[in-house]
Amino acid sequence: MADVMKLQFEVNDGDFTRAGETSSKVKKTLTQLGFSPIVIRKVAIAMYEGEINMVIHANGGTIDVEIYSEKILIVMQDKGPGIADIEKAMQAGFSTADSKVRELGFGAGMGLPNMKKYSDEMEITTEIGKGTCVKLTINVKE
Amino acid sequence: METYWHSVTLNKDLCKGCTHCLKLCPTQAIRVQGGKAKILKERCIDCGECIRVCPYHAKKGVADSLDMLKNFKHNVALVAPAFYGQFSRTEDINVILSALLDLGFDDVFEVARGAQVISQKTKELLKSGELMKPAISSACPAVLRLIAIKFPNLIPNVVPLKSPMEISAEQARCEAIEKTGFKPCEIGIFFISPCAAKATFVKGNYTVKKSEVDGVIPIKDICIEMSRSVNKMAEEDIKNLRVSGRSGVLWATSGGEAEATDAQKHIAVDEIHNIIKLFEDIEDGKMDDIDYVEALACPGGCVGGPLTTENSFSARSKIQRMCKNLEDNSQPFSDEINMYWDEAIVYRPIMNLDSDINIAMQKMNEIEELYNEFPKLDCGSCGSPSCLALAEDIVRGYAKETDCIFKLREKVSALARDMLELESQNTLFVNKKTEDK
C-alpha cells in the first residue's frame, strides 16, 4: 500500500503567467485524496507564496511535495541569490523586490511571513550566491 | 452520497453523443456512454452551460408550467429583473408587468425590490466588519453549489443572506394575504426564471428550510405569449405596477449587485469558468484586500441565463437604458422576514477517491500511471472530458482502458500481429504435416 505520494514541479524564472499553477495542481490532488479543506488551504497559500518568491527573487527552481496521511512536506529549492538576513526577511512588509515587480502587485513583503503563518514547521537554509531552500511541514490533525 | 433533484436534464432522443457539453461542463459532470450523454447528479451544479452549448437542444431546464396556477386562488408572478430585458418592442417595465396579468396572474411582485433590500443588508454587514474578506455574494444558486463541491474553503466567505427571490417570495405572500384575505396556502407564488439553477434551488430548499416559491416558470416558456400581449397592449391597459428602484433592476446584469453594495473594492465576475479561476485565486490568498465579490454563473449575469430568449448583450443594453431615467426609490419589507439562511452550505466532498487516504494515494498513483499512457489530446472520444478524467474514471471503476480509441487501436494492432504470428505457426505445422506424408 502506498504510504507516501511524491510530486515534483519545475518553477520557471520570471514567468508570472504560470504562477499559481503548481498550487492549483496540488490542491486538486489533495482534494482527491480526501484531505480536509483546512489542510488544503494552508498548503495552497504556503505553496503559492513560495512559488511567487521563486519567480520574483530566485530565478526559479523546483518544488517537491511529499504527501503522507499525517503530514505534507513541501521542499522549495531555488537557484537565487540567497538571503543575506533571514531575520529581516521574515519581518512582515520587508521586501527586496524591485519597482518592476511591485508594479505588478507583488513584493509586499508577506511571502516568508505567510509561509510561516500557514505551515506548522518551517526551515530555511540559504547560501549567498547559491540559493535558498525552504522546507515546510503542514500537519494533518484529526 | 445523497443526491438531489436537478432541473438540468437530458432528452435522450435528441442527444447525438457528441462532445460539446462534455468538454464545457465546469465540474466534469458529464460522460458519454453508449452514444448518449449522462449527467453525474452528484457533480452537476445546474449552471446550464450544457443547455447553452448543445447544438441539438438535448439539454433542458425542467421547471413548472402555467397549469399550476389553477391550484391556487390567487397567483403572484415573482419577476426576475432579467425579464425586463427580454422584449424587443418595449422598454417600459409597466408594460411588461401588465402583460403578466394577461397570462393569468392576479398580481406581480418585482424581485428587484428584494434585491434592493438585500443590497442594503449587505451594505450594513460589510460596514460592521463581521464578514470574512472577501465576502462572496450568495445570490447565484449555481455558484453556491459550486462552492459546496469545489471550494469548501470559501464557505465562510459567503454572505449568509437569502437570495432576493426568496425574501421577495415571503414578502409577496405577506402582501397578498393582506390584499386578498386568503390563507397562505391559497396563494401561489411563481418565480419567472432566467435559469435552471433557481428551479433546483426551489425544489431542493437549499440554505432555506422550505422555499416560499411555489413554482418556477422558465422565461422562454412564456415569451411568445408575453410578446403577443406586450405588442397589442393598449395605453389604458398599462397599469402602474413598477415600484422597484434603479439599483434593484440593475441586479439583472453583471456588476449591478456589486455596485449597489457600495463596497470600496469589489469584483464582479460572470461566467462559471471565470468564477472558478477567480475562486482559485481567492483560495490562494491573492484577494484578501477585496471587500466584496459578486459572482454570477451566466455570461453577462442573469440576462445571460440559459432559460432566457433575448441575446444577452441586447438585454443588457436594454436594462441599462431602462435604468437611466429610473429613480432609486424603494419599498421596505416587513420586519418579520428573516433575511439570514436557515441552513449553512455544507461541503460535499465528491471528488475524493477513497475515504482512506492511503488507499486514495494508491488510486492516485494508478491514475498517474494510466494517464501517462494516454495520448493527452483530450479528444473526448472515450466519453470522459479529458485523458486525466478517463484515467480517474477507470480507477473509480466507471470506464475501461480501451474506451480510449488510441489504446483500442494499439490493442487491435497487437492482436492482429499476434494472429498473423499464430497463423504463420499454423502454416508451419500444416507444411510439416504435408512434408511428413
Side-chain angles (χ1 to χ4, degrees), chain B residues 85-353:
Chain B
Q86 301 296 311
F87 306 96
S88 49
R89 297 274 193 94
T90 186
E91 286 179 13
D92 183 341
I93 296 174
N94 279 326
V95 171
I96 296 162
L97 294 175
S98 304
L100 276 165
L101 302 181
D102 284 352
L103 259 66
F105 288 102
D106 302 294
D107 206 350
V108 293
F109 191 100
E110 299 174 83
V111 175
R113 278 180 64 191
Q116 286 176 287
V117 172
I118 291 293
S119 288
Q120 187 54 40
K121 186 76 192 165
T122 306
K123 240 188 255 183
E124 287 166 22
L125 288 175
L126 282 170
K127 268 204 193 115
S128 75
E130 281 168 42
L131 301 176
M132 196 174 204
K133 260 172 66 167
I136 300 172
S137 160
S138 58
C140 177
V143 169
L144 294 184
R145 293 286 191 189
L146 177 75
I147 289 173
I149 63 164
K150 250 182 123 108
F151 296 98
N153 277 312
L154 302 186
I155 292 175
N157 296 65
V158 182
V159 182
L161 293 178
K162 289 178 186 167
S163 65
M165 173 192 77
E166 199 49 45
I167 62 160
S168 295
E170 240 174 289
Q171 177 71 17
R173 198 180 302 276
C174 291
E175 288 182 14
I177 292 167
E178 226 166 84
K179 268 187 204 168
T180 63
F182 291 137
K183 287 186 223 147
C185 63
E186 292 171 329
I187 292 157
I189 309 284
F190 290 90
F191 181 61
I192 312 295
S193 180
C195 73
K198 281 288 188 198
T200 302
F201 177 94
V202 166
K203 311 257 175 206
N205 300 316
Y206 205 47
T207 68
V208 292
K209 277 210 183 77
K210 190 182 178 324
S211 176
E212 283 290 323
V213 177
D214 295 302
V216 176
I217 314 276
I219 287 180
K220 67 173 186 54
D221 288 3
I222 56 168
C223 243
I224 295 175
E225 230 178 307
M226 272 296 294
S227 296
R228 216 173 278 146
S229 178
V230 162
N231 297 347
K232 67 169 204 299
M233 186 159 298
E235 200 65 43
E236 63 269 22
D237 292 330
I238 303 172
K239 292 184 186 65
N240 210 7
L241 294 166
R242 183 193 63 79
V243 283
S244 66
R246 185 175 178 277
S247 62
V249 177
L250 279 174
W251 270 61
T253 62
S254 170
E257 176 199 342
E259 198 70 49
T261 60
D262 283 350
Q264 282 280 330
K265 280 192 176 178
H266 62 71
I267 293 179
V269 55
D270 61 327
E271 205 274 334
I272 195 84
H273 297 90
N274 292 334
I275 292 173
I276 291 172
K277 275 194 209 118
L278 185 85
F279 282 2
E280 291 261 2
D281 286 351
I282 297 177
E283 250 190 353
D284 289 351
K286 282 201 239 178
M287 303 280 158
D288 291 351
D289 61 327
I290 302 296
D291 298 311
Y292 191 75
V293 175
E294 169 203 300
L296 298 170
C298 295
C302 300
V303 285
L307 304 184
T308 59
T309 51
E310 181 69 10
N311 176 295
S312 70
F313 294 94
S314 155
R316 182 187 183 86
S317 107
K318 256 177 234 164
I319 299 266
Q320 280 167 346
R321 277 198 300 278
M322 279 176 184
C323 285
K324 239 181 197 157
N325 302 316
L326 213 60
E327 281 168 39
D328 204 23
N329 49 339
S330 61
Q331 275 202 338
F333 275 24
S334 152
D335 290 337
E336 289 187 7
I337 292 173
N338 170 26
M339 278 188 265
Y340 289 92
W341 290 343
D342 302 329
E343 287 152 6
I345 304 176
V346 181
Y347 174 36
R348 297 163 55 88
I350 54 150
M351 299 298 187
N352 68 345
L353 294 161

Side-chain angles (χ1 to χ4, degrees), chain A residues 1-7 19-20 23-24 27-29 31-42 44-45 48-49 67-69 106 118 140, chain B residues 28 132 149-153 279-286 288 347 351-362 364-365 367-368 388 392 396:
Chain A
M1 195 187 283
D3 51 6
V4 58
M5 179 158 192
K6 293 181 181 176
L7 307 168
S23 154
S24 178
K27 262 193 278 185
K28 196 189 165 202
T29 303
T31 307
Q32 287 188 314
L33 293 177
F35 282 94
S36 79
I38 302 157
V39 170
I40 295 170
R41 180 176 140 85
K42 286 165 93 176
I45 299 180
Y48 175 71
E49 294 287 4
I67 306 166
Y68 302 86
S69 56
F106 300 104
Y118 289 101
V140 179
Chain B
Q28 298 200 321
M132 196 174 204
I149 63 164
K150 250 182 123 108
F151 296 98
N153 277 312
F279 282 2
E280 291 261 2
D281 286 351
I282 297 177
E283 250 190 353
D284 289 351
K286 282 201 239 178
D288 291 351
Y347 174 36
M351 299 298 187
N352 68 345
L353 294 161
D354 202 279
S355 51
D356 181 323
I357 286 182
N358 286 316
I359 296 174
M361 273 194 220
Q362 202 177 347
M364 202 77 200
N365 287 329
I367 291 172
E368 194 69 26
L388 186 60
E392 284 172 27
R396 287 181 198 266

Side-chain angles (χ1 to χ4, degrees), chain A residues 10-14 51 53-62 77-80:
Chain A
E10 291 292 324
V11 177
N12 295 330
D13 176 30
E51 209 181 331
N53 267 0
M54 290 166 97
V55 173
I56 50 182
H57 299 290
N59 314 318
T62 49
Q77 175 70 55
D78 69 39
K79 297 170 260 182

